[in-house]
Amino acid sequence: MTTTAQAPTLRRAVVLMTASSFLVPAGGLLTAPLLARALSTDGRGELAAAIAPAGLMLAAATLGLPDALTYFLAKRPGATRPALAWASLVTVALGLVCLLATFLALSFLSAGDPDLGRLILLATALTVPALVVNVFRGAATGRQMWGAIAVERVIITAIRVLGFGLLFVGGELGVLAGVLVNTVTPIVAGIVYWPLLRRPQEATEPAEAAGDPADLPDDENDRGTLATIVAFGSKVWLGSVASMVLARASQLLMTPLSSVEDLGLYTVASTVSDLPLIVALAIQGALFGVNSKTRDASQLTGTARLTLLVAFGGCLVLGASLPFWIGPLFGYEFEAATVPTLMLLVSALICIPGLLAGTALSAWGRPGLRSAGLGVTLAANVGSFVLLVPHFGVYGAAWTSIISNVVLATFMVVAARQVVGVPGRDFFLVRRSDVVRAWTEGQRILARLPLGGRS
């Protein structure tokens, strides 16, 4: 009975998160050629370097609180407002500390370029209010507000595509404009989370509000709430920082270790190869929000295999067609990114079982173990990057990604096998039933679309 009731919840979450996640890379594919043509290779690398510290700050200054709110509010939605208040206050304080640290490290981050230094500082300052939006998104995930999260992605994509498009047509698309569009957009889109400030019974959609009344505490103590979310958040914080550093390390280190030209090539390669990973991350977020409440092992492993199967199909299509469109789309100077892109697509497939196994660790109350895995992966990443990039440039960065994801997948799957109590192969060994399920779910989704024949 319980399993039947929970299945639509995960299906709805995965469909909304996956469908809306396509908007982000689709927007990236639309705007990346505009940025490549307007900024050239050097300018594209400068933009990436300008926003990289701000991206790292999104992980460092939240202290793992978005994930903590997801886990906590999935079980106790009645504590939403006090939890948000404390988490936002702590996050803003830490954001200001990170802003100061960025200012002190400005000379290194900008490689001595004062113009780039000012752009880095501007992007980092504008990220402080975006940190609060990040906290609200974590709360919305715990409250199963999938519609609001999807709408936020729609707004972000629409503003970025429209903004970059108008600036390009008007001949005003420079590095400064790119920084402003990238950093201000999430702040504007965060307005979708205002219902979280209302009482829980009003903020949650009717289909999602029918939970166990015991989950709603009658008298939640504010300090108890803070202690609970900080305790969980502190365990995921190192993992969150490590995860963000893994995503941003190339942008932070490529320029001093290689060149902005290699960074520009790697940025384009990442834009394409991130397509399957962005979808996997969307499914990961939905699975974490739902499984934190259900702790369903078959739900975890089945979703992991299905995600890997879908990603394999996507990578196959992208890889086979890549040589025909990367030059015309991004500019022929970026054809040199073809092989690194293919390498990063392989790396993405290796990463997916690790991502979903790591979700199992957090959803089953072992976020510290997941953080340990991310820490080990970060060590492998930085070590490989420093050794390979100075000699092999963008190819060294691609090999670094493959090495890191092998480490990540191995650690997470082995750890999840112990915590969840299932064979490790259940996270990645695709079965015939998974193919049938993928086909059935695909037909079900198409049937719900206007083009699916429904009147």
Side-chain angles (χ1 to χ4, degrees):
M1 185 79 66
T2 305
T3 303
T4 305
Q6 290 164 355
T9 302
L10 179 60
R11 180 180 294 116
R12 178 175 182 269
V14 167
V15 168
L16 277 174
M17 294 300 94
T18 303
S20 62
S21 72
F22 272 112
L23 294 173
V24 178
L29 285 175
L30 288 173
T31 58
L34 301 181
L35 290 169
R37 293 180 183 277
L39 303 180
S40 76
T41 307
D42 290 349
R44 190 67 181 89
E46 188 177 354
L47 175 60
I51 62 178
L56 177 60
M57 180 177 167
L58 283 171
T62 52
L63 198 64
L65 295 180
D67 282 349
L69 287 173
T70 297
Y71 183 81
F72 180 67
L73 297 180
K75 295 173 169 56
R76 311 186 76 179
T80 297
R81 287 188 291 181
L84 274 175
W86 281 113
S88 298
L89 185 64
V90 172
T91 296
V92 170
L94 289 171
L96 295 176
V97 172
C98 288
L99 179 59
L100 176 61
T102 301
F103 175 75
L104 295 176
L106 210 53
S107 178
F108 170 76
L109 295 173
S110 63
D113 185 337
D115 292 332
L116 178 58
R118 284 189 288 270
L119 291 172
I120 291 174
L121 199 61
L122 174 63
T124 308
L126 288 173
T127 301
V128 174
L131 293 171
V132 179
V133 175
N134 210 23
V135 168
F136 272 66
R137 188 184 306 112
T141 303
R143 293 290 305 280
Q144 317 293 300
M145 293 172 61
W146 310 113
I149 300 171
V151 170
E152 183 202 16
R153 290 175 176 172
V154 171
I155 294 173
I156 288 175
T157 303
I159 293 177
R160 282 181 175 165
V161 170
L162 185 62
F164 283 133
L166 291 176
L167 288 167
F168 181 79
V169 171
E172 300 293 332
L173 183 51
V175 178
L176 174 59
V179 168
L180 291 174
V181 172
N182 274 299
T183 53
V184 173
T185 300
I187 302 171
V188 176
I191 192 67
V192 301
Y193 297 122
W194 70 267
L196 286 168
L197 300 177
R198 293 158 48 184
R199 297 186 66 82
Q201 292 84 347
E202 300 171 359
T204 309
E205 297 175 15
E208 298 164 349
D212 186 347
D215 288 338
L216 300 175
D218 296 329
D219 183 21
E220 184 66 35
N221 180 275
D222 284 359
R223 291 184 180 178
T225 298
L226 177 62
T228 302
I229 61 175
V230 169
F232 188 96
S234 63
K235 294 176 183 177
V236 303
W237 179 71
L238 288 176
S240 297
V241 173
S243 180
M244 187 59 71
V245 172
L246 282 169
R248 302 286 179 176
S250 59
Q251 297 174 352
L252 288 168
L253 300 176
M254 184 77 83
T255 299
L257 291 179
S258 184
S259 67
V260 291
E261 182 179 359
D262 272 343
L263 177 55
L265 293 174
Y266 192 78
T267 300
V268 168
S270 298
T271 299
V272 177
S273 62
D274 277 351
L275 283 168
L277 278 182
I278 289 173
V279 175
L281 287 169
I283 295 174
Q284 177 195 39
L287 185 63
F288 178 47
V290 173
N291 211 261
S292 291
K293 201 169 189 175
T294 64
R295 287 200 176 186
D296 185 338
S298 62
Q299 184 185 73
L300 283 168
T301 56
T303 303
R305 296 193 305 272
L306 193 61
T307 303
L308 181 60
L309 177 62
V310 173
F312 176 78
C315 287
L316 197 61
V317 171
L318 285 171
S321 62
L322 182 67
F324 300 102
W325 53 262
I326 190 170
L329 183 62
F330 291 98
Y332 289 100
E333 62 184 314
F334 287 97
E335 285 185 344
T338 301
V339 174
T341 303
L342 293 173
M343 295 172 68
L344 290 181
L345 287 172
V346 173
S347 179
L349 288 176
I350 297 171
C351 178
I352 287 172
L355 284 178
L356 277 298
T359 299
L361 296 176
S362 293
W364 286 55
R366 298 293 300 276
L369 192 54
R370 175 178 177 270
S371 292
L374 289 168
V376 171
T377 304
L378 177 59
N381 180 274
V382 173
S384 301
F385 201 94
V386 171
L387 287 174
L388 297 176
V389 169
H391 300 288
F392 303 105
V394 65
Y395 294 97
W399 275 114
T400 294
S401 178
I402 293 174
I403 293 169
S404 301
N405 283 328
V406 168
V407 173
L408 174 72
T410 302
F411 186 102
M412 296 299 186
V413 168
V414 171
R417 179 186 64 185
Q418 301 297 324
V419 172
V420 181
V422 295
R425 63 179 178 272
D426 284 2
F427 284 96
F428 60 87
L429 191 60
V430 176
R431 305 166 181 171
R432 182 177 180 180
S433 59
D434 298 320
V435 178
V436 174
R437 181 185 172 196
W439 178 261
T440 303
E441 290 293 338
Q443 288 184 315
R444 186 195 302 271
I445 293 170
L446 288 175
R448 293 177 179 271
L449 298 176
L451 295 179
R454 251 177 56 163
S455 55

